Amino acid sequence: MTPPAAPNGRLAVFPGSFDPLTNGHVDIILRSAHLFERVIVAVLVNTEKQPLFTADERIAIVREVFREYPNVEVDTFDGLLVEYARQRRASAIVRGLRAVSDFEYEFQMALMNRHLEPALETVFMMPAEQYTYLSSRLIKEVFHLGGEVHGLVPPAVERWLREKSAVGSRQ
Ligand code: PNS
């Protein structure tokens, strides 16, 4: 068996469901793109919850938002994150920390990932304060109930949300 190639110290993976991408995610991706030579936004295909956006839609959104950032790549993954990171030779996983409430889940995940792959480091980043209350779940709920999400998600996401609700109301 060939040993895995050495990880690339300048390559990070930012994994998530991105259902949908929020300005909080965008903030973290931009910070990562400054810190690392290359960032892979890794969209989890089979989430436990039924996603609103298909994997292709979630990818199209990230691609559109970061089309002018050559060091931001979008990809999908399934199965174990550490396995995906190993295949891509990434040396770090980036996760955003919004509040203390995120900590326990993120801490557990980071330590489990370290147990599975000790060479892979998890790097936490804080988004700008105005995004600390944002989550994809809340965006979907607020939009669904007729609330304003302008400024909380990229324009591409607003457009897709409107499109989805128009299709839904025609059915
Ligand atoms: O945006 P999310 O939904 O908080 O992202 C969670 C994600 C995708 C990072 C996490 O569910 C994950 O890594 N899933 C892949 C399966 C895996 O590796 N599980 C063990 C993690 S300790």
Side-chain angles (χ1 to χ4, degrees):
M1 210 168 78
T2 352
N8 177 347
R10 294 168 188 273
L11 176 66
V13 170
F14 181 46
S17 311
F18 306 109
D19 185 42
L21 186 79
T22 69
N23 281 348
H25 294 129
V26 171
D27 179 293
I28 298 291
I29 295 167
L30 291 175
R31 287 171 201 279
S32 316
H34 279 119
L35 198 61
F36 294 93
E37 203 164 85
R38 194 169 178 76
V39 180
I40 302 169
V41 179
V43 177
L44 180 66
V45 176
N46 289 318
T47 60
E48 275 173 26
K49 309 149 265 179
Q50 179 65 37
L52 175 63
F53 292 92
T54 65
D56 285 347
E57 289 166 343
R58 286 177 277 151
I59 288 175
I61 289 169
V62 180
R63 258 200 202 124
E64 180 176 334
V65 173
F66 291 96
R67 63 180 179 273
E68 284 168 14
Y69 290 82
N71 69 331
V72 176
E73 182 190 328
V74 193
D75 194 10
T76 53
F77 82 104
D78 228 338
L80 275 182
L81 172 61
V82 293
E83 187 52 37
Y84 173 77
R86 199 179 63 87
Q87 281 166 14
R88 295 303 311 262
R89 298 180 51 211
S91 61
I93 294 172
V94 170
R95 291 288 288 170
L97 264 190
R98 293 163 297 188
V100 178
S101 50
D102 281 342
F103 183 76
E104 200 166 318
Y105 170 63
E106 294 297 336
F107 183 71
Q108 259 188 332
M109 217 159 51
L111 291 185
M112 176 57 85
N113 284 333
R114 180 181 285 168
H115 168 79
L116 296 171
E117 182 51 76
L120 191 64
E121 209 57 68
T122 299
V123 176
F124 291 108
M125 286 187 186
M126 262 89 66
E129 298 92 275
Q130 71 262 35
Y131 303 132
T132 47
Y133 62 94
L134 271 188
S135 73
S136 300
R137 185 185 62 78
L138 276 184
I139 292 293
K140 285 182 280 193
E141 187 173 319
V142 168
F143 182 83
H144 181 66
L145 297 173
E148 185 54 75
V149 296
H150 183 73
L152 305 179
V153 292
V157 172
E158 274 188 70
R159 214 178 54 237
W160 274 99
L161 282 168
R162 279 199 297 271
E163 193 139 313
K164 289 230 168 249
S165 83
V167 169
S169 63
R170 282 202 294 270
Q171 284 171 348

